Amino acid sequence: MKRALITGITGQDGSYLAEFLLDKGYQVYGMVRRSSADTLGRIEHLRRHVTLRPGDLLDQSSLCSILREVQPDEIYNLAAQSFVPASWEQPITTTQFTALGVARLLEGVRRECPRARFYQASSSEMFGRAVAVPQNERTPFYPRSPYGVAKVYAHWVTVSYRERHRLFACSGILFNHESPRRGREFVTRKVTDGVARIAMGLDMELRLGNLEARRDWGFARDYVEAMWLMLQQDAPDDYVIATGETHSVRELVEIAFGAANLDWRAHVVIDSTLLRPTDVELLQGDARKASARLGWKPTVGFRALIEMMVRADLEHYRRGSRPLAR
């Protein structure tokens, strides 16, 4: 039985990946921070099937200890401070976790389990003010936030350890991917949760910033399959994972409110304080390499994804439960 270690197992991607690997017959371990404010809500249904171990990307010794104990066949590094606006408020913390944490983890892999296969969660935010549309594995990076900069470091240090120490280390450059498990600070979930609250009479308005920003949005469960596929190849490499389509925040809003039979124009308020001076206007991924080499393709379209999220948030409120916050 293969062993997999997931950092960030309590997050959106970590929970879907844990489910996916368990279905594949893996023994799944998750690294969690003792001091983390995150709840285990997303993996509560998996608690009997996964083994959680304490560890921290800020602490080299804890990383070496868990790697030495588990001796994983595959490692998926999904842990990071991943909310772009927060990276401006906490740039040093973001750098410590999202950039240097990856270097610490890779050094632990080199020391304790060099034959393990390693996946690094890179991000489309590395492209930032993209110099070409769509973006593929050869498009130069131009990050526009401390988060994007930290991800660029993490990406290149993964490449460096692959080349210098011959680790089987891959980076998945994932474009935006969403689900009912997405944190409510992200715009997709902010919108679908806001729609549900308005539909249930709990709120009257939803305040948003730039409605014209465009993103390439896919379904998180599709994207964790791509992570696994990367580690099943004969040789390590880096891959863009995306749908190849872009949609504006305005389209997101129209679909979400329409799913609840509401007129978005009666409820959405444009709030200038939510506009970001260094916002990324357009990201669109070219995943042809992943399609050709991994046989990967998305299965859930944009409209179906947003409608799924609205239904899930409505159901949370109808049951009288609080939706997942983070």
Side-chain angles (χ1 to χ4, degrees), residues 123-136 138-145 173 175 214-216 240 246 278-286:
S123 168
S124 60
E125 288 289 330
M126 300 189 304
F127 295 119
R129 183 185 286 172
V131 300
V133 179
Q135 297 90 46
N136 60 30
R138 297 178 301 279
T139 304
F141 300 136
Y142 192 156
R144 297 273 282 165
S145 68
I173 307 174
F175 280 64
R214 301 184 68 86
R215 292 291 186 274
D216 185 328
V240 163
T246 66
T278 55
D279 201 6
V280 175
E281 292 291 332
L282 172 62
L283 290 174
Q284 180 180 1
D286 176 357

Side-chain angles (χ1 to χ4, degrees), residues 169-203:
C170 302
S171 284
I173 307 174
L174 272 58
F175 280 64
N176 294 66
H177 46 289
E178 319 297 317
S179 75
R181 301 178 190 177
R182 188 61 143 154
R184 285 185 292 158
E185 67 272 28
F186 294 91
V187 67
T188 48
R189 187 70 191 290
K190 178 180 179 179
V191 169
T192 62
D193 179 71
V195 166
R197 290 184 62 81
I198 291 169
M200 298 299 292
L202 301 174
D203 272 332

Side-chain angles (χ1 to χ4, degrees), residues 21-305:
L21 294 176
L22 287 169
D23 286 343
K24 291 286 185 183
Y26 280 67
Q27 187 173 359
V28 176
Y29 292 80
M31 190 182 86
V32 294
R33 294 175 60 211
R34 290 189 187 277
S35 60
S36 175
D38 290 346
T39 69
L40 301 179
R42 292 187 183 89
I43 60 168
E44 194 60 45
H45 62 298
L46 303 175
R47 288 294 302 279
R48 292 184 302 160
H49 308 290
V50 301
T51 303
L52 302 182
R53 289 288 183 265
D56 197 319
L57 290 178
L58 300 183
D59 180 14
Q60 182 76 59
S61 64
S62 75
L63 297 176
C64 287
S65 177
I66 192 172
L67 290 168
R68 188 182 311 120
E69 174 195 350
V70 174
Q71 286 297 307
D73 299 287
E74 297 172 6
I75 301 159
Y76 297 86
N77 181 40
L78 311 183
Q81 190 301 102
S82 59
F83 187 46
V84 172
S87 75
W88 285 109
E89 298 170 3
Q90 298 181 313
I92 307 305
T93 299
T94 298
T95 300
Q96 285 289 345
F97 278 106
T98 307
L100 299 181
V102 181
R104 295 185 189 99
L105 185 54
L106 283 164
E107 182 60 15
V109 173
R110 184 187 71 82
R111 294 180 187 179
E112 305 296 342
C113 49
R115 287 188 286 185
R117 297 190 169 200
F118 180 86
Y119 171 83
Q120 165 58 22
S122 288
S123 168
S124 60
E125 288 289 330
M126 300 189 304
F127 295 119
R129 183 185 286 172
V131 300
V133 179
Q135 297 90 46
N136 60 30
E137 295 81 5
R138 297 178 301 279
T139 304
F141 300 136
Y142 192 156
R144 297 273 282 165
S145 68
Y147 170 76
V149 172
K151 281 293 188 180
V152 170
Y153 174 91
H155 179 85
W156 282 117
V157 77
T158 300
V159 173
S160 296
Y161 267 74
R162 178 170 73 215
E163 295 178 348
R164 174 65 177 85
H165 299 298
R166 299 188 182 279
L167 298 184
F168 193 108
C170 302
S171 284
I173 307 174
L174 272 58
F175 280 64
N176 294 66
H177 46 289
E178 319 297 317
S179 75
R181 301 178 190 177
R182 188 61 143 154
R184 285 185 292 158
E185 67 272 28
F186 294 91
V187 67
T188 48
R189 187 70 191 290
K190 178 180 179 179
V191 169
T192 62
D193 179 71
V195 166
R197 290 184 62 81
I198 291 169
M200 298 299 292
L202 301 174
D203 272 332
M204 290 298 295
E205 66 179 34
L206 175 63
R207 305 185 77 85
L208 296 170
N210 182 10
L211 297 187
E212 307 313 320
R214 301 184 68 86
R215 292 291 186 274
D216 185 328
W217 278 300
F219 181 34
R221 192 166 63 193
D222 287 341
Y223 285 44
V224 301
E225 180 182 9
M227 301 174 188
W228 176 78
L229 286 168
M230 291 179 208
L231 298 195
Q232 311 314 307
Q233 304 307 301
D234 292 334
D237 207 345
D238 307 321
Y239 298 87
V240 163
I241 304 299
T243 70
E245 299 179 1
T246 66
H247 300 274
S248 67
V249 176
R250 185 181 299 275
E251 292 175 73
L252 159 65
V253 167
E254 291 172 350
I255 292 170
F257 276 88
N261 296 314
L262 295 170
D263 182 354
W264 71 272
R265 290 164 295 190
H267 300 283
V268 171
V269 176
I270 304 302
D271 186 343
S272 61
T273 65
L274 298 176
L275 297 173
R276 302 203 298 258
T278 55
D279 201 6
V280 175
E281 292 291 332
L282 172 62
L283 290 174
Q284 180 180 1
D286 176 357
R288 285 179 292 180
K289 178 178 173 182
S291 176
R293 297 192 185 179
L294 307 179
W296 178 86
K297 62 180 180 179
T299 66
V300 177
F302 179 67
R303 176 177 292 275
L305 170 62

